[in-house]
Amino acid sequence: MLSLIGKRLMFAIPSLIGVVIVTFLLTRALPGDPAAYFAGPSADKQAIEEIRKKLGLDKPLIEQFLRYTADLAKGDFGNSLTTGQPVATELRNRLPASAELTLLGLLVSVMIAIPLGILAATRPGSWIDHLCRVTTTAGVSLPVFFTGLVLVYVFYFRLGWSPAPLGRLDVFASTPPNVTGFYLIDSLIARDWEAFRSAFNQLILPTATLAIFSLAPIARMTRASMLAILSSDFVRTARASGLSPRAVIVTYAFRNAMLPVITTLSMTFSFLLGANVLVEKVFAWPGIGSYAVEALISSDFAPVQGFVLTMAVMYVLINLIIDILYGVIDPRVRLEG
Amino acid sequence: MKRRDFLKTATGAAAGAMVSGPAIFSSAKADARSETLLIVSESGPNNLDIHGVGTNVPGYEVSWNCYDRLIGHEMKAGPGGVPYYDRDKFKPELAEDMTISDMSATFKLRKNAKFHDGTPVTAKDVKWSLDRSVSVGGFPTFQMSAGSLKKPEQFVIVDDHTVRVDFATKDRLTIPDLAVIVPCVINSELVKKNATEKDPWGLEYTKMQTAGGGAYKVTKWTAGTEVILERNDDWVSGPMPKIKRVIWRMVPQAGNRRALLERGDADMSYELPYKDFQEIKANGKLDVVSLPFSNGIQYIGMNVTKPPFDNPKVRQAVAYALPYQKIVDAVLFGLANPMYGASADKPTEVAWPQPHKYNTDMAKAKALLAEAGYPNGFETTISFDLGFAVVNEPLCVLVQESLGQIGIKTTINKIPGANWRTELNKKEMPLYTNVFSGWLDYPEYFFYWCYHGDNSVFNTMSYKSPEMDKRINGARTAAATGDKAAYDADVKGFVDLAFTDVPRIPLYQPYVNVAMQKNISGYQYWFHRRLDYRALVKA
């Protein structure tokens, strides 16, 4: 098993190298001149040249690339110009924020989508099937920022039930000591109930927004794959043998229907992690999505490269975990290099 | 020089019911809240030091509040009674006294002034800081040179608490330039300790923390998320500020910033869309301050080096074809000063900005265009900066529609914010809209950057006219020597020329809009248009 994991990771190396080269070239090919952008509102040509020299952008491309890879090997992702911080630190601080939100959103959505999908599949044409269809259609067709804004408008602005959409914690609450970077977990470790409550309250609306959006693919996939499995021979045999409907559905059918659902989950997760920029913007969430987009807008090379690289690594890891999960769920699937 | 308690005038407006916070605050927090100012804005600083490489505009706000300068400006009553910085009156800040002689200015420092870490402020620190601002290059050095402050030799230590600034040439802008954000006084020993061989001015150190002696210090900064500033209780360079703590949060979504204000959670915000300000103003729950940018104008520029805009008749035709009033009404919701449509017999004033005499007059525009040899119009592109799309996009659509009526077909070219400066520098865009505003509020300053044949970045039209240059240079010399008659004649001369040649067409003077809770008072307008926390009061 371990050697197989090692082998899989080895295969990921060439693709990571490819990612490094491509992002480097792509960011350089972007229109816009970071030196002019950062030279400030009233810089003349000479001031811009001075900035360019300081940023090392006057050097030939190959030299810039070599320096970049050398820094990368030391774990140095460079400095962001827009926020002024080292990219590695920034990603380390922001990744947990995005991950906490995304995982929680996914968890909520799984808890609703899977039972919904199963129920819809077992009673096709019933009201629950229609409910499933309506929610999933609504979920995919409502853009996340719209759902987010509506939720903020109703629950914060109109009703006042939800705290101000000001990021991960209430403005006056103090951050729990950093252990995992997940505020819910960190505040529990520190036994800081106030921080926990604050972090939890702040999470409710963005989590709901993400859950509504990711409900659709998971519920649809559960329903479709359950329908296929339920009409297969072994389910008919199980039913004919007089097993209880519960045993048939949960033990036999669902376990077999899990594989495509897991695949969808992994795709939804990686998609959400990078693409919940809009949710982050609406809720002033200090995540990596908004970080990368802001960097892109201001031609800030280092964070964009760092972000793409991090995402590539995440994809490799998620795929690996999914492959391992396949093996656990269905012993027929072998983890092969 | 006399010191005035400028807070007195500022607090006059303090009134209004206390807006209750939401239930989520416990009582202990409510106390903290009454001494804390919560500001929400779209973007935050990228560097806490204005001398840094590429420090953005929010960074200026930190520098302004956390560092002292030798001198500052007095306040005067501005439009609507709002305190507005007085261009011509200086007040001591770190210096308790300023003596200006013919070719130098001498500053006596406060003897009891200390930096945040307790080190006394000495002339050595002042010299080092001023040396730094003229030596680091980039924007700070450039800004200093605008006041003819170019060499470290100009800053002389007289004794421990006295500094002399020698003038390189006679320049009216030298003293005002010492009151802008750039010449701030830095704790030189602290920064030197943290400087490296590669970074002799310690820019890396001051980027992440404030090393000054100003009224506030940054206690926490999470880039892109929040800045927390605490009051420096040992501050002596002015009356003790009332706000103990400032929490400045970045909220990218404009709608949410407005919701936060209207719910009473946030105390102040700027950078809202004009429509929001208009509505907030109308419903009266919050205070909105709208003041014109000092020395700032949004304009339509034309590249005069290439046809068809090399022909003054074409430019005049465009000036007669612009939908001025529609732009002010529909794009800015009336929150702007018109810079057009002065009556025909109005004499030119010795002031800037001032309105020109063009008005929307399609018949005249068509006639001029025909006279210029384009009876059927022509095709061109109009470009704008997407970074300010809220204003620029509808503005350009209106211009496009209007120019279409005289046969000028325009394609709109949207340029991303990062790319805008590069494009401006190339000076190739035929037609575009842009805004320029100068920190120093003098006509000749504006014209030097925007119309002079030295062709700075802001002479975006590449306009060159010997007569114009003569007038601008004349006004600068006259201002330095105090020759008022010559100065007035030259200013009137260059304004008139700018209006007859119209390489750029002024549209309006934009407003800076700040929305705040009714219990917040003491807002002051500064040339840099950022907040001065020192004067703010929360009732």
Side-chain angles (χ1 to χ4, degrees), chain B residues 348-349 351-352 354 443 447 468 490-500:
Chain B
T348 308
E349 290 170 36
W352 189 258
Q354 59 177 301
F447 273 75
M468 181 63 97
D490 277 333
V491 171
K492 280 185 196 164
F494 64 58
V495 170
D496 283 339
L497 189 58
F499 288 167
T500 41

Side-chain angles (χ1 to χ4, degrees), chain A residues 32-33 36-38 41-44 48 50 54 81-85 94 152 156-157 160 164 166 172 194 282 297, chain B residues 29 46 54 60 136-139 142 207-208 221 223 249 251 256 260 262-263 265 418-419 421-422 425 457-458:
Chain A
D33 180 355
Y37 187 76
F38 290 101
S42 50
D44 55 1
I48 293 171
E50 274 169 29
K54 255 183 205 157
L81 297 167
T82 24
T83 62
Q85 313 285 315
R94 282 166 172 269
V152 169
Y156 166 66
F157 189 65
L166 275 177
F172 295 93
E194 199 151 349
V282 170
I297 289 171
Chain B
K29 277 182 191 162
N46 63 348
Y60 299 175
V136 286
F139 167 68
F142 178 78
K207 173 172 160 183
M208 310 295 295
W221 172 39
R249 277 284 183 118
V251 177
N256 279 349
L260 286 162
E262 293 200 358
R263 291 278 313 170
D265 284 345
N419 214 353
R421 304 209 66 83
T422 323
N425 260 321
V457 199
F458 299 113

